[in-house]
Amino acid sequence: MKPEWQVWAKEAKEEFPRANSALMPLLHRIQLEEGWLSDATIADVAQLMGLPVQYVESVVSFYSLFHQQPMGKKVVHVCVGLSCALAGSDELMHHLEQRLGIKEGQSTADGAYTLLEAECLAACDKAPVAQVNLRYVGPVSPDDATQLLSEEVTS
Amino acid sequence: MSIRHYLLRNRDVRNIDQIDVYEAHEGYVALRQTLKEYQPDELVAMVKKSGLRGRGGAGFPTGMKWGFLPNDGRTRYLVVNSDEAEPGTFKDRELIEENPHQLVEGIIISSYATRASEAYIYCRGEFRRGAEQLRRAVQEAYDHGYLGKHILGTEFSLDLKVYRGAGAYICGEESALLESLEGKRGNPRLKPPFPAVAGLYGGPTVVNNVETICNLPPLVTYGPEWYTSMGTEKSPGLKIMSVSGRVRRPGNYEIPLATPLRTLIEEYAGGPIPGRTIKAVIPGGSSVPLLMPNQLDTPLDYESVIKAGSMLGSGGCIVLDDQVCIVGATARLVRFYREESCGKCTPCREGTYWMTDVLERVEHGMGQNSDLDLLSDVADNIAGKCFCPLGDASLGVLVSALKHFRHEFEAHVAGHGCPMGARLYDTVNH
């Protein structure tokens, strides 16, 4: 457990004092720093929140944006919703897989990229749309896959 | 065609997301007027008179929803549903990313009307910029005395907090949203009790959609007669329609309700891609049945779209043209519900899984004729049998596609594959 996590837990509980409302804000904040939520992190959060480890695990595993494996420095989400599919998102995903030499759901060996599917990202006017570390990029035609990977983004 | 915008009126104003610019464009004037001229009950009466209906999808009358709050002295909560994730819908994202103060002002007015002393914005986890914009706008509103204790020197106090989800469509369902806001898995709750009686932290709670709340500032400024001057008697006012798919100008368009679907597609969104014809339209988000080309004159108001066999829903209008494979498109949409089913109840969890499986094998040429009846059978075992609306939502496009395009499904079986080459996407325009 990192010392600042105790401060963050206190701040989250002050902002959201009731029920377990502080839990998700705390998980978000720690994941932003750590990149993912390991079993050890989950156990630490459980301790900070005064909750059973199983409870925290059950919450973490419910939500697709809480990651239980190490993530690449750039997490690329490709929207695979219908409007994006109509504009070429499957081809975009295919190009990205080729370019990175990995399959959807995997990370590159050097830890630079993770490639994931996203359900409709509510940006169908930018189809096909992607997110890099949850920042929108789009429209990204399949041929622009390489450019997407070099996109400068804040972590 | 002249387009008069209200909720989107400042979309071209630079830095409208900054409070000074927002104030320079009459921002927070409606709030000042509210606190000066209206008692909370008068405001509820005004919203009832305006006929404003919930813009998240269900179209429930907003004033009536507010009226359900019991008068028992408990702390009341206003929760704003910004978990926009219905495929084809992207209006709330624009509203919060581009003009967050409009929403914040609407929340303060709505909280005053409902006598809520705490308000929350539940922001979809994927909306990273949206959440940042909202947090900054909320802080600016505190700094300018629009939030906190004794707002603008009155007796009214309000705290507003931004809470981020973490990726779950089901949290757009209001009771699942409340569970998530309490730090739990986003499983829907049994209703009744409804949130008005036992919502957030067990207290009386109103849950409203972003667009619904954004209607409040103009409603105060222009009055309920302005609202009822547009649309129909039962569906008055304005709706933001998100148009996507095979049109020339995808985007958000604010229309007076009862504007014909054809006008939305042809005039606002620029019509289909040249040389193509419209095959079918999903008018209100991925959960609603298809409308056919001979129904393009359907007025876009809640009643008329129901009469035409579909729903206005969230206003996410996806246009499919003659190059789109209906089986592939349906498979894609049903797969979404499989991915997003929370798994709590069996018909939804297993049904969406099997329907996706069968649809994908038909699309890829491994289907049999009996698969069409199998799909209908599974759909029957979902319809009306699920714990929350997600299961039923997975059926809208599928059931109407089987009805209108059965020949396409049969052609996939007979030809052992997709006659269009198993591609949703074609390269003509790219």
Side-chain angles (χ1 to χ4, degrees):
Chain A
M1 188 185 305
K2 295 188 176 164
E4 63 267 30
W5 294 3
Q6 296 187 356
V7 180
W8 295 353
K10 187 165 162 282
E11 286 173 5
K13 286 182 202 168
E14 277 166 8
E15 191 180 5
F16 297 102
R18 267 158 296 179
N20 298 324
S21 294
L23 175 60
M24 282 173 59
L26 180 60
L27 289 168
H28 271 304
R29 197 163 175 184
I30 292 175
Q31 184 175 271
L32 192 62
E33 284 295 311
E34 301 294 308
W36 66 298
L37 300 168
S38 68
D39 288 350
T41 303
I42 287 172
D44 289 341
V45 170
Q47 195 191 329
L48 288 164
M49 288 294 299
L51 290 166
V53 176
Q54 295 87 337
Y55 180 89
V56 177
E57 163 78 27
S58 81
V59 171
V60 167
S61 62
F62 186 85
Y63 298 94
S64 62
L65 293 182
F66 288 140
H67 305 302
Q68 291 186 269
Q69 299 87 37
M71 291 284 118
K73 274 180 82 173
K74 283 186 182 177
V75 179
V76 180
H77 278 100
V78 177
C79 179
V80 296
L82 177 58
S83 296
C84 282
L86 292 173
S89 63
D90 291 357
E91 286 72 11
L92 174 61
M93 179 65 94
H94 185 67
H95 281 227
L96 289 168
E97 285 178 340
Q98 296 275 311
R99 173 78 176 65
L100 295 173
I102 54 172
K103 289 286 178 196
E104 183 274 322
Q106 297 178 339
S107 300
T108 53
D110 62 358
Y113 296 97
T114 298
L115 186 59
L116 299 171
E117 279 182 357
E119 295 303 335
C120 183
L121 286 170
C124 319
D125 50 341
K126 301 184 176 85
V129 75
Q131 285 188 330
V132 180
N133 294 348
L134 302 184
R135 306 279 179 199
Y136 285 103
V137 189
V140 193
S141 82
D143 298 334
D144 295 340
T146 308
Q147 200 187 323
L148 173 73
L149 295 175
S150 60
E151 199 82 26
E152 284 300 316
V153 286
T154 50
S155 63
Chain B
M1 180 186 55
S2 70
I3 301 177
R4 182 83 203 266
H5 281 141
Y6 291 92
L7 270 57
L8 299 178
R9 68 191 176 285
N10 291 325
R11 72 194 315 191
D12 297 323
V13 177
R14 262 177 73 89
N15 298 328
I16 192 66
D17 57 338
Q18 311 289 325
I19 196 163
D20 299 341
V21 179
Y22 183 70
E23 284 178 323
H25 287 77
E26 280 152 42
Y28 291 106
V29 170
L31 173 64
R32 289 175 190 278
Q33 192 186 341
T34 298
L35 297 181
K36 210 160 134 191
E37 294 177 15
Y38 290 97
Q39 292 300 313
D41 293 345
E42 293 171 340
L43 217 53
V44 175
M46 188 182 82
V47 172
K48 280 184 181 164
K49 202 173 161 197
S50 77
L52 173 64
R53 295 168 64 165
R55 300 292 188 232
F60 193 82
T62 304
M64 196 189 286
K65 198 179 212 180
W66 290 4
F68 289 153
L69 290 166
N71 262 321
D72 54 10
R74 288 183 293 162
T75 300
R76 290 175 169 187
Y77 303 100
L78 177 78
V79 177
V80 177
N81 185 341
S82 173
D83 196 48
E84 181 175 59
E86 171 90 357
T89 315
F90 47 94
K91 65 197 174 64
D92 296 339
R93 180 183 54 78
E94 175 173 347
L95 288 170
I96 63 172
E97 283 189 350
E98 305 302 326
N99 195 355
H101 280 290
Q102 175 171 252
L103 176 62
V104 171
E105 183 177 9
I107 291 170
I108 304 167
I109 294 170
S110 305
S111 299
Y112 176 75
T114 55
R115 295 189 161 92
S117 55
E118 285 181 37
Y120 294 85
I121 303 170
Y122 185 96
C123 188
R124 183 175 174 187
E126 288 84 348
F127 289 173
R128 185 168 179 187
R129 173 158 183 259
E132 289 166 354
Q133 287 286 72
L134 286 169
R135 287 215 172 98
R136 193 181 42 74
V138 166
Q139 189 54 52
E140 287 180 340
Y142 269 105
D143 295 344
H144 281 67
Y146 298 127
L147 282 168
K149 295 250 177 286
H150 300 294
I151 293 169
L152 298 172
T154 66
E155 288 304 299
F156 176 56
S157 300
L158 176 69
D159 274 318
L160 173 57
K161 288 167 186 173
V162 179
Y163 184 94
R164 259 183 89 195
Y169 168 72
I170 190 59
C171 291
E173 193 281 332
E174 63 178 8
S175 69
L177 184 155
L178 295 172
E179 288 285 290
S180 181
L181 188 40
E182 292 182 2
K184 303 176 198 161
R185 293 166 69 88
N187 289 325
R189 293 176 181 171
L190 187 64
K191 294 190 228 180
F194 289 93
V197 178
L200 184 63
Y201 307 130
T205 305
V206 168
V207 184
N208 281 144
N209 168 260
V210 167
E211 184 188 354
T212 311
I213 295 291
C214 286
N215 272 283
L216 263 293
L219 204 48
V220 169
T221 304
Y222 301 113
E225 293 78 15
W226 158 73
Y227 217 67
T228 53
S229 73
M230 299 171 289
T232 65
E233 193 188 338
K234 287 185 174 167
S235 299
L238 298 158
K239 176 85 189 83
I240 302 176
M241 299 294 294
S242 306
V243 187
S244 68
R246 295 285 170 79
V247 291
R248 288 170 63 198
R249 289 196 302 269
N252 284 319
Y253 298 101
E254 187 170 24
I255 60 166
L257 281 161
T259 300
L261 177 58
R262 186 188 302 280
T263 307
L264 177 70
I265 296 172
E266 299 279 347
E267 295 183 27
Y268 287 78
I273 291 160
R276 304 282 183 80
T277 54
I278 293 174
K279 185 174 191 171
V281 178
I282 302 168
S286 60
S287 305
V288 310
L290 298 165
L291 290 180
M292 298 298 284
N294 63 0
Q295 295 176 301
L296 288 178
D297 292 314
T298 305
L300 293 171
D301 61 80
Y302 293 98
E303 286 71 29
S304 299
V305 183
I306 287 175
K307 214 172 135 195
S310 188
M311 284 181 287
L312 189 60
S314 60
C317 177
I318 307 175
V319 177
L320 310 177
D321 68 20
D322 53 352
Q323 303 291 308
V324 175
C325 168
I326 288 291
V327 179
T330 305
R332 182 57 58 110
L333 287 180
V334 174
R335 195 183 83 140
F336 167 78
Y337 293 95
R338 179 192 72 183
E339 294 299 311
E340 296 298 337
S341 173
C342 81
K344 179 182 176 113
C345 73
T346 312
C348 174
R349 183 186 64 241
E350 300 299 321
T352 54
Y353 171 84
W354 281 108
M355 291 191 306
T356 306
D357 201 58
V358 174
L359 280 164
E360 287 183 347
R361 82 175 174 230
V362 172
E363 170 67 6
H364 295 295
M366 289 170 280
Q368 306 167 8
N369 274 319
S370 59
D371 280 343
L372 277 57
D373 293 333
L374 179 59
L375 282 170
S376 297
D377 185 49
V378 177
D380 279 346
N381 280 298
I382 292 176
K385 298 179 182 71
C386 295
F387 190 82
C388 88
L390 192 144
D392 281 305
S394 72
L395 304 177
V397 169
L398 171 66
V399 172
S400 63
L402 280 169
K403 181 177 153 200
H404 294 297
F405 295 99
R406 195 173 178 91
H407 57 280
E408 257 191 54
F409 288 83
E410 287 166 351
H412 277 72
V413 174
H416 301 289
C418 180
M420 293 175 164
R423 284 160 73 90
L424 275 172
Y425 165 63
D426 65 275
T427 51
V428 174
N429 290 288
H430 294 276

